[in-house]
Amino acid sequence: MTAPFTLRPYQREAIDALRAGWAAGSNRLAVVLPTGAGKTVVFANLISECLPQLAGQRALVIAHREELIEQAAAKVRAIRPDLRVGIVKAERDEHQDADVIVASVQTLAVEKRRRAIRNVGLVIVDECHHAAARTYMDVLDHFGGWRGVPVAGFTATLSRADGGLAEVWQGVPFTLDILDLITDGYLCDVRGKRITVDTLDLDKVRTRGGDLVDGQLGQALEDSGALDAIARAYVDHAADRPGVVFTPTVATAQAAAASLLAVGIKAAPVWGDMGRDARRETLARYEAGELQVLTNCMVLTEGFDAPHTSCVVVARPTKSPGLYVQMVGRGLRPAPGKSDALLLDVMGSATRHKLASMVDLTARDVDEVEEGRTLREVAEEAAAERERRQLVAQVEAEEINLFGDSAVRWLRTPEGVWFIRITSAQLLFLVRVPGARLYRMRRWTALGGIEAPRDDTARPLPEALAWLEQQARRLAPGAFVARQARWRQSPPSPRQLGLCKRLGLKVPRGSTAGDVADLIDTDRVSSVLGSLILPAA
């Protein structure tokens, strides 16, 4: 039976990459897809395609939260309504006749519960960045993860503070950058605004397990007045946006909601140990628009799907790029009438902690994002700058090769001007035409300054090089301008070394007379040309 919708190109690629990796002999593979990329859709289709080859065996999906379990089961049913999908968690034990079993890792940690599930030929691990935990390792081992059974992990990030993921996953055959999804219109672009709280001293917050200690961080946020600052910033910058606020503790989630309510923003907190019915009711009120903001203690980083969310407040400064991506990703899903997402990033004083920031949303090389700029804008500018630098480097490499092949002693100032010293009081040099790969020749004399030749035609570099060399040979003694002149291989003279000392020039060990002459000439010519206003080329 075919899926009721068409897979996006990258989703198709992810499935093909996994199956190709399995065929090549690696059975435990992970796929990294940003939040909003549809990883549940990918593994539901993967299951649908693989079941016919399992020879009567079944697929097992492992998740760690109720929302993830329900989402996975619903997605498999939507794609393959002919399959029997059972849920195994707590009091539910629907595995007897199921083609696909979606199970809680906490339930499978109980040996009796996992032993009751048999004939598993494919394992899917949702949010697989947790898989280094002993519980996951035991479960995967039981179901054949280290005996060749195909295992696929899905996550938005493979970073985990306590490490160990390399022991679980043999490779990552497919990964997608969040900027690819933004560029292709599958996710909204994001712009950032810093909420700077001068009284928030993060240097006093200790680190445990690679990140800031939740309790100390929460206390610092409350003591510094950061929660009231967040509320004021929300009114100033996101008054018309539905949003979520991430905090480090239950107490700060509750206090943040109270601060928002005090400024007229309808808000409510949710947290992990909150009663199931109460949490469902609060989430439903947010999705229905009765609440504008949800504050939460790290419960909405996974499995939370509310596309209308257009503001994310990171009131949980973190050293973990993975956690940062999980938080911000909650606001990037597209929705009708939604043009972008706003990120309000709470900042304090931190000199000893390297905190994650907006640039960590992408693996591409981008500079720090200025306020008001979107991630895509900054990334595109960075890409254009890299392209420009590559072009310049290519041109310079071509120039160096051309000059390097010359028999004449060419030198270059630190400012990039190529020249030939023809006498103690004369030099010839090239001036590049702005915006073009053309050059003109100029002559400098101590008495006459800079002069242009009668034939002032702009020439491509090889022609300009040949013409200037011809003039240099005509005006200067051959031994003076020849790069291979014998005198250049001699040791430097005392007079040369004394002059370098007076000029403050450091002579590298092993330098020849020619090397020192070049050092002196380059310094002098740089001083001469640097003191003059060069004529327009």
Side-chain angles (χ1 to χ4, degrees), residues 291-505:
L291 292 172
Q292 184 178 348
V293 177
L294 286 176
T295 64
N296 81 102
C297 173
M298 307 311 297
V299 75
L300 302 182
T301 54
E302 300 164 347
F304 174 66
D305 186 4
H308 73 294
T309 301
S310 64
C311 180
V312 174
V313 181
V314 177
R316 199 271 177 243
T318 178
K319 299 173 72 172
S320 167
L323 176 57
Y324 192 87
V325 169
Q326 293 275 9
M327 291 188 285
V328 178
R330 298 299 127 187
L332 302 188
R333 294 179 187 270
K338 178 179 174 182
S339 59
D340 64 11
L342 174 65
L343 167 62
L344 298 181
D345 215 343
V346 177
M347 309 294 288
S349 170
T351 57
R352 69 184 185 92
H353 299 304
K354 185 182 184 303
L355 300 177
S357 66
M358 194 163 156
V359 298
D360 291 300
L361 296 177
T362 175
R364 298 183 193 174
D365 184 17
V366 297
D367 294 328
E368 194 64 38
V369 181
E370 299 176 11
E371 289 195 6
R373 308 288 305 285
T374 71
L375 183 64
R376 181 179 177 180
E377 289 171 351
V378 173
E380 288 177 347
E381 287 185 6
E385 176 63 16
R386 283 195 299 274
E387 185 176 345
R388 186 193 68 79
R389 289 177 181 173
Q390 289 171 357
L391 179 60
V392 170
Q394 178 184 347
V395 170
E396 289 184 347
E398 291 174 358
E399 292 177 358
I400 291 169
N401 287 339
L402 285 167
F403 286 104
D405 291 339
S406 171
V408 169
R409 174 190 171 218
W410 281 93
L411 298 175
R412 195 179 195 185
T413 70
E415 295 76 26
V417 178
W418 290 98
F419 71 93
I420 300 176
R421 183 71 175 260
I422 54 176
T423 69
S424 59
Q426 292 187 69
L427 63 100
L428 301 176
F429 62 97
L430 291 179
V431 177
R432 187 169 176 179
V433 177
R437 297 175 68 176
L438 300 174
Y439 293 79
R440 290 192 171 101
M441 187 183 81
R442 293 290 182 265
R443 179 181 179 182
W444 175 86
T445 62
L447 296 177
I450 295 177
E451 304 170 351
R454 293 180 181 178
D455 181 1
D456 197 23
T457 304
R459 295 174 169 85
L461 184 60
E463 293 180 20
L465 169 67
W467 190 52
L468 194 146
E469 285 189 359
Q470 182 182 16
Q471 300 302 312
R473 288 193 180 97
R474 183 176 64 84
L475 296 170
F480 190 82
V481 297
R483 192 168 53 155
Q484 299 299 329
R486 289 185 179 181
W487 69 269
R488 292 182 59 82
Q489 309 308 316
S490 304
S493 67
R495 182 179 178 184
Q496 283 182 310
L497 295 176
L499 181 56
C500 285
K501 186 174 182 179
R502 290 195 299 275
L503 294 174
L505 301 176

Side-chain angles (χ1 to χ4, degrees), residues 19 26 57 72 227 260 264 275 285 289 292 334 353 431 438 452 455 460 494 516 520:
R19 300 191 69 175
S26 297
Q57 292 182 305
L227 302 182
L260 287 162
R285 289 176 61 203
Q292 184 178 348
H353 299 304
V431 177
L438 300 174
D455 181 1
V516 176
I520 295 169

